[in-house]
Amino acid sequence: MAEEQVNIVFEGLLLPTHVHSEESLRYARERFHVRDDDVFIVTYPKSGTTWMQEILPLIYSNGDLTPVQTIPNWQRVPWLEQKTGKSLLEDRPSPRLITTHLTYHLMPKSFNTSKAKVVYVTRNPKDALVSSFHYHNLATFLDNPGTFEEFIQKFLAGNVMFGSWFDHIKSWWPRKDQDNILFITYEDLLQDMRSVLLKLGEFLGKQLSDDAIETIVAQTKFSNMRQNKMSNYSFVPKELMDQEKTNFLRKGISGDWKNHFTTAQTEHFNSVYSQEMKGVDFPFYKD
Ligand code: PPS
């Protein structure tokens, strides 16, 4: 596919045309009506979206596996800004669980005046970059990432899908103390899922039984999610995602960047990171 067909540019952000259109983005921004009991999963791509799309429905079902075993993740917690957003979300009964990769400034206009909740999942940007690089090699509807070095340059300049990681986090992080926003890190999910579940339960007003917690911890383990056809994208035709090359649920670890970055690339990334995050009170991922 020619480059201009692969992406559209919306408000300065590159977005794959396979799942986004000017119309779907305008709908999300201008006409989508946010309800007070909506819950958004907000992520920069490759930061733990699919994981949270498994966790939240299980919290809402108090550990009943039916939703995650019978409904594909993109229908279970649909993406607001994608072409399917309107049809999947508009008439859905409350409480709606909604996914978005949008920056704060591009959220629906009605979001600001609502009490809707946001679970923001962030991940070490070097690991998100590595995950995205492999994803670009896997998904034929994304542009060619070039070499790893070229992809680092594009990522640091924000010339990748959904734009700059720095702009994304800097748009949401200043809202961290709002009652309706909870920040979770991918690394916390890996390290201590139980504690995160308790935090999420409290934030969402859902008291989870001990049995439910045990079930959710087991079901959301990488090895189990990799087997779950409703979450591992195995329904997507090989022409769009050739999972014989690499799996969508690829490694599921923290620190894989160390297997990819040279010393010079790490130093360069860290120096751009410190410049971009100067004056931002964000305690993670400094090196
Ligand atoms: S997307 O395309 O934006 O929706 O991708 P996203 O789901 O945000 O990120 C994909 C990465 O998350 C990893 N993942 C997990 N890691 C650990 N445990 C669980 N359960 C899990 N589920 C998803 C997935 O493997 C991708 O990371 P990498 O580093 O590529 O493995």
Side-chain angles (χ1 to χ4, degrees), residues 128-272:
L129 182 159
V130 167
S131 180
S132 190
F133 177 70
H134 288 287
Y135 184 50
H136 277 71
N137 279 317
L138 160 75
T140 55
F141 53 88
L142 297 178
D143 46 8
N144 183 331
T147 63
F148 187 64
E149 171 65 29
E150 284 163 352
F151 193 70
I152 292 180
Q153 299 309 331
K154 285 202 240 181
F155 185 95
L156 290 174
N159 291 329
V160 284
M161 60 175 168
F162 283 92
S164 152
W165 181 89
F166 304 104
D167 290 349
H168 205 280
I169 194 74
K170 284 192 280 188
S171 81
W172 281 102
W173 184 249
R175 275 102 195 159
K176 67 180 184 311
D177 296 326
Q178 285 180 210
D179 290 344
N180 65 332
I181 301 187
L182 180 69
F183 273 78
I184 302 279
T185 69
Y186 176 95
E187 295 75 20
D188 280 347
L189 290 170
L190 271 182
Q191 232 172 41
D192 191 355
M193 178 62 84
R194 259 184 202 79
S195 303
V196 176
L197 288 175
L198 292 175
K199 218 191 252 185
L200 280 167
E202 196 184 327
F203 175 66
L204 299 169
K206 297 274 161 204
Q207 192 155 17
L208 294 166
S209 65
D210 290 347
D211 282 355
I213 290 182
E214 288 315 310
T215 308
I216 301 173
V217 168
Q219 176 64 26
T220 57
K221 279 200 189 319
F222 182 72
S223 52
N224 285 337
M225 278 186 60
R226 221 182 190 190
Q227 300 302 318
N228 183 359
K229 286 195 168 57
M230 295 294 156
S231 308
N232 65 11
Y233 286 89
S234 54
F235 285 140
V236 176
K238 197 174 166 190
E239 302 80 67
L240 292 175
M241 268 193 209
D242 185 357
Q243 297 211 45
E244 276 168 22
K245 278 191 193 160
T246 175
N247 289 108
F248 179 92
L249 289 153
R250 190 183 58 91
K251 276 199 180 170
I253 59 170
S254 140
D256 193 33
W257 66 268
K258 292 176 191 153
N259 300 316
H260 290 75
F261 280 64
T262 63
T263 306
Q265 287 168 340
T266 306
E267 281 170 4
H268 178 57
F269 191 104
N270 290 350
S271 102
V272 175

Side-chain angles (χ1 to χ4, degrees), residues 55-67:
I55 297 168
L56 288 198
L58 287 168
I59 290 180
Y60 275 80
S61 70
N62 197 28
D64 177 354
L65 297 180
T66 312

Side-chain angles (χ1 to χ4, degrees), residues 46-51 101 123 131 186 220 249-252:
K46 315 319 286 183
S47 300
T49 325
T50 318
W51 206 352
H101 287 317
R123 184 183 192 185
S131 180
Y186 176 95
T220 57
L249 289 153
R250 190 183 58 91
K251 276 199 180 170

